[in-house]
Amino acid sequence: MNIRKANTQDVPTLLKLIHELAIYEREPDAVKTTEDDLLRDGFGDNPLFQCLVGEIDGKVEGLALYFFTWSTWEGRPTLYLEDLFVRESTRGKGLGLTLFKNLAKIAVEKKCQRFEWSVLDWNEPARSFYHQLGANHKEGWLPYRLEGEPLQKVANSIETHQALVV
Amino acid sequence: MNIRKANTQDVPTLLKLIHELAIYEREPDAVKTTEDDLLRDGFGDNPLFQCLVGEIDGKVEGLALYFFTWSTWEGRPTLYLEDLFVRESTRGKGLGLTLFKNLAKIAVEKKCQRFEWSVLDWNEPARSFYHQLGANHKEGWLPYRLEGEPLQKVANSIETHQALVV
């Protein structure tokens, strides 16, 4: 078992794993991401995400894709784990746990006060895994989203004199 | 009413507004952030957050603190709004809505597919405001967090041969 940072040559495998994750999350057609998207946003000068891969016998079998956000109350970065995934055929060998521990280590090294992620409410194996590690569901906070047409509509509704002068 | 990007001279006011927000969110003692934290992480070479301020008659009365995350399914950045706050004495004049519209505009300009944030479940005025704009609560996703001692413990539990070689 070996953990390392993903590089551009991993991109086709990363995209395959993202598709496998979408199937696991019961949204097999949800992935619009392309290899170009991953290359542009993950491996340029100012990457929008970071990615670790987990190898077994030299083959990439899992990924942890993350980025740094910021907490206004802590005054510190937060490590946010967007996706943690291990191939079904490889589960049970501790690769997911090892990826997770490495993220915790990175969070501490980067002086993050918090390490955060989201879990689907029906995913009991994942929730149980996280509870055993001392993590808790943040009760009381509801995630909201605006996208597509409603987002465009709000963006276009701004009056010229109220728009930010850049 | 005027919307502009925050600058280093706004930092004392930003911190005051963050404290006022914590009082509104019923956690008056939760803010550990200092002016130095805001300066270091918001106004350096690789800022971890961006901030808009809203002025009325030349006085800063509100803020919108945000950053860009990334969606593995969209292959695009997401604009994440960490805090939107308008001073109590200034509410009802549309400053919050104007800040929000400016963020939607920035999200569209930056080719974000999504604009996201979190709301406290008891905050009905905020939830109603967002629903009217076409936003929805993302049902089924639970936010998780690991911090403090349990985070340190997980970070320290890694075996040397399983740690990332940087």
Side-chain angles (χ1 to χ4, degrees):
Chain A
M1 191 182 296
N2 180 46
I3 308 293
R4 62 171 173 81
K5 293 217 169 196
N7 60 49
T8 53
Q9 300 193 323
D10 294 313
V11 163
T13 307
L14 299 182
L15 190 54
K16 265 184 216 139
L17 292 170
I18 290 168
H19 276 277
E20 288 175 32
L21 172 59
I23 292 166
Y24 178 76
E25 292 188 345
R26 305 176 187 173
E27 299 250 20
D29 304 317
V31 180
K32 298 175 199 158
T33 306
T34 64
E35 291 185 14
D36 283 347
D37 293 333
L38 288 163
L39 282 166
R40 182 194 60 234
D41 289 343
F43 302 93
D45 286 341
N46 287 301
L48 288 165
F49 66 83
Q50 317 275 330
C51 191
L52 302 186
V53 292
E55 296 174 322
I56 291 194
D57 299 333
K59 192 161 170 280
V60 172
E61 298 284 343
L63 67 78
L65 192 144
Y66 63 101
F67 37 73
F68 294 95
T69 65
W70 204 74
S71 164
T72 31
W73 288 5
E74 301 291 344
R76 293 282 160 189
T78 295
L79 192 154
Y80 190 89
L81 171 58
E82 178 71 9
D83 279 328
L84 175 66
F85 183 70
V86 172
R87 274 211 164 111
E88 197 170 358
S89 54
T90 313
R91 275 175 223 156
K93 296 183 180 176
L95 190 60
L97 177 60
T98 305
L99 283 163
F100 190 88
K101 284 179 179 176
N102 271 283
L103 293 170
K105 187 162 168 279
I106 291 168
V108 169
E109 284 167 0
K110 296 274 185 187
K111 302 192 192 306
C112 297
Q113 181 61 23
R114 298 172 174 171
F115 174 12
E116 297 188 337
W117 64 95
S118 295
V119 185
L120 282 161
D121 53 7
W122 52 259
N123 194 349
E124 286 299 340
R127 295 181 66 185
S128 163
F129 171 81
Y130 293 130
H131 292 156
Q132 282 170 32
L133 292 168
N136 283 303
H137 168 209
K138 283 162 60 186
E139 302 271 357
W141 285 99
L142 304 176
Y144 267 71
R145 178 182 290 167
L146 185 65
E147 63 183 333
E149 279 292 314
L151 172 58
Q152 286 282 351
K153 204 175 147 193
V154 174
N156 293 339
S157 72
I158 199 164
E159 291 177 56
T160 313
H161 71 279
Q162 291 185 333
L164 174 70
V165 180
V166 184
Chain B
M1 191 182 294
N2 181 44
I3 308 294
R4 62 171 174 80
K5 293 216 168 195
N7 60 49
T8 53
Q9 300 193 323
D10 294 313
V11 162
T13 308
L14 299 183
L15 191 54
K16 265 184 217 141
L17 291 171
I18 290 167
H19 276 278
E20 289 175 33
L21 172 59
I23 293 166
Y24 178 77
E25 292 188 344
R26 305 176 187 173
E27 299 249 20
D29 303 317
V31 180
K32 298 174 198 158
T33 306
T34 65
E35 291 186 14
D36 283 347
D37 293 333
L38 289 163
L39 282 167
R40 180 194 63 234
D41 289 343
F43 302 93
D45 286 340
N46 287 302
L48 289 165
F49 66 83
Q50 317 274 330
C51 191
L52 301 185
V53 292
E55 296 174 321
I56 291 193
D57 299 332
K59 191 161 170 281
V60 172
E61 296 285 342
L63 66 78
L65 192 144
Y66 63 101
F67 37 73
F68 295 95
T69 65
W70 204 73
S71 162
T72 30
W73 289 4
E74 300 291 343
R76 294 282 160 188
T78 296
L79 191 153
Y80 191 90
L81 171 59
E82 177 72 9
D83 279 329
L84 176 65
F85 183 70
V86 172
R87 274 209 164 111
E88 197 170 359
S89 54
T90 313
R91 275 176 223 156
K93 296 183 180 175
L95 190 60
L97 177 59
T98 305
L99 283 163
F100 191 87
K101 285 180 180 177
N102 271 282
L103 293 169
K105 187 163 168 277
I106 292 168
V108 169
E109 285 168 358
K110 296 274 186 187
K111 302 193 192 305
C112 297
Q113 181 60 24
R114 298 171 172 171
F115 174 12
E116 297 187 338
W117 62 96
S118 295
V119 185
L120 283 162
D121 54 7
W122 53 258
N123 194 349
E124 286 299 339
R127 295 181 66 185
S128 163
F129 171 81
Y130 293 130
H131 291 156
Q132 282 170 31
L133 292 168
N136 284 302
H137 168 209
K138 283 163 60 187
E139 302 272 357
W141 285 99
L142 303 176
Y144 267 71
R145 178 182 290 167
L146 184 65
E147 61 183 334
E149 280 292 315
L151 172 59
Q152 286 282 351
K153 203 174 148 196
V154 174
N156 293 339
S157 72
I158 200 164
E159 292 177 55
T160 312
H161 72 279
Q162 291 185 331
L164 175 69
V165 181
V166 184

